[in-house]
Amino acid sequence: QKEVEQDPGPLSVPEGAIVSLNCTYSNSAFQYFMWYRQYSRKGPELLMYTYSSGNKEDGRFTAQVDKSSKYISLFIRDSQPSDSATYLCAMTPGGTPLVFGKGTRLSVIA
Amino acid sequence: EAQVTQNPRYLITVTGKKLTVTCSQNMNHEYMSWYRQDPGLGLRQIYYSMNVEVTDKGDVPEGYKVSRKEKRNFPLILESPSPNQTSLYFCASSRTKTLNTEAFFGQGTRLTVV
């Protein structure tokens, strides 16, 4: 079993839809959870960061971590064409290299 | 502007011809790393450096070398490139290893080895 599993998509939604992106993981030592966004031909950029379990909201984006289920989610409300990108989850116990999911490609259609 | 700069952005080379991809950051970050990104495999770490003169292997170090003589620079060296090293490469930096949660990535270097 891979340490981090992420559905690669592609995921195509109409503009204004609520998007749910998910990752599951197997290492119970993971404490720090991140979502990176990567536009085509660009490097990944940090979108959201969460420590341990719980929710974090930033504008239209909400990150959720459920450590008991080893499951993390990123919700995008009122999705826009500019949200079209690949979304990568990443996690670490802290102080060790990040472990990335393979990324989910999202297309938001106007 | 805070940034990680990689050069070149695109490179086509022949098997066995040594090459270096440069990486420089202007944020005084201690921690730097190199990744390769391949379809279906995602981002995989090649090497990382916790500070000047301190480097260590990541998940896929074979065929690569790095050095960290200055804090801002972390070049990736392919002594004898092979076609299986054709990939998209990213350099990243973060403040410290402990604060590796916020990694800043460069724009990427697309390498083709023929």
Side-chain angles (χ1 to χ4, degrees), chain A residues 97, chain B residues 31-34 45-51 53-61 64-68 74 76 97:
Chain B
Y31 189 86
M32 297 185 73
S33 53
W34 276 102
Q45 193 179 52
I46 302 170
Y47 266 95
Y48 62 94
S49 168
M50 288 187 281
N51 215 323
E53 302 290 3
V54 181
T55 63
D56 209 346
K57 296 177 181 178
D59 298 320
V60 288
Y64 304 95
K65 282 176 57 177
V66 293
S67 68
R68 187 93 181 271
F74 189 45
L76 179 70
K97 184 181 180 186

Side-chain angles (χ1 to χ4, degrees), chain A residues 15-41:
Chain A
E15 182 177 356
I18 296 174
V19 177
S20 172
L21 303 167
N22 312 295
C23 288
T24 58
Y25 63 94
S26 57
N27 187 348
S28 57
F30 288 143
Q31 294 280 354
Y32 299 87
F33 303 91
M34 289 131 278
W35 286 96
Y36 282 81
R37 178 175 60 196
Q38 184 177 18
Y39 289 115
S40 181
R41 288 187 282 278

Side-chain angles (χ1 to χ4, degrees), chain A residues 34 36 38 43-44 46 95 97 102, chain B residues 37 40 45 90 97 101 103 105-106:
Chain A
M34 289 131 278
Y36 282 81
Q38 184 177 18
L46 182 66
K102 293 180 181 178
Chain B
Q37 188 174 38
Q45 193 179 52
F90 289 103
K97 184 181 180 186
T101 48
F105 283 81

Side-chain angles (χ1 to χ4, degrees), chain A residues 32-34 36 38 41-46 49 86 88 92 94-98 100-103, chain B residues 9-10 31 35 37 40-43 45 48 88 90 97-98 100-108:
Chain A
Y32 299 87
F33 303 91
M34 289 131 278
Y36 282 81
Q38 184 177 18
R41 288 187 282 278
K42 300 283 190 183
E45 57 178 343
L46 182 66
Y49 153 66
T86 296
L88 302 151
T92 174
T96 59
L98 297 176
F100 283 88
K102 293 180 181 178
Chain B
R9 292 288 311 279
Y10 302 92
Y31 189 86
Y35 294 87
Q37 188 174 38
L41 297 176
L43 274 168
Q45 193 179 52
Y48 62 94
L88 179 58
F90 289 103
K97 184 181 180 186
T98 305
N100 187 33
T101 48
E102 185 169 15
F104 290 82
F105 283 81
Q107 294 282 61

Side-chain angles (χ1 to χ4, degrees), chain A residues 50-67:
Chain A
T50 310
Y51 172 70
S52 194
S53 282
N55 294 358
K56 187 171 186 178
E57 190 172 316
D58 184 1
R60 296 184 294 110
F61 298 88
T62 300
Q64 282 187 355
V65 175
D66 181 349
K67 288 189 69 181

Side-chain angles (χ1 to χ4, degrees), chain B residues 55-111:
Chain B
T55 63
D56 209 346
K57 296 177 181 178
D59 298 320
V60 288
E62 295 78 21
Y64 304 95
K65 282 176 57 177
V66 293
S67 68
R68 187 93 181 271
K69 292 184 170 55
E70 305 165 283
K71 199 171 188 179
R72 63 183 293 128
N73 296 324
F74 189 45
L76 179 70
I77 303 154
L78 284 74
E79 295 265 357
S80 183
S82 62
N84 65 12
Q85 292 177 298
T86 292
S87 187
L88 179 58
Y89 291 86
F90 289 103
C91 178
S93 75
S94 52
R95 259 193 291 168
T96 65
K97 184 181 180 186
T98 305
L99 294 171
N100 187 33
T101 48
E102 185 169 15
F104 290 82
F105 283 81
Q107 294 282 61
T109 296
R110 186 165 293 281
L111 171 66

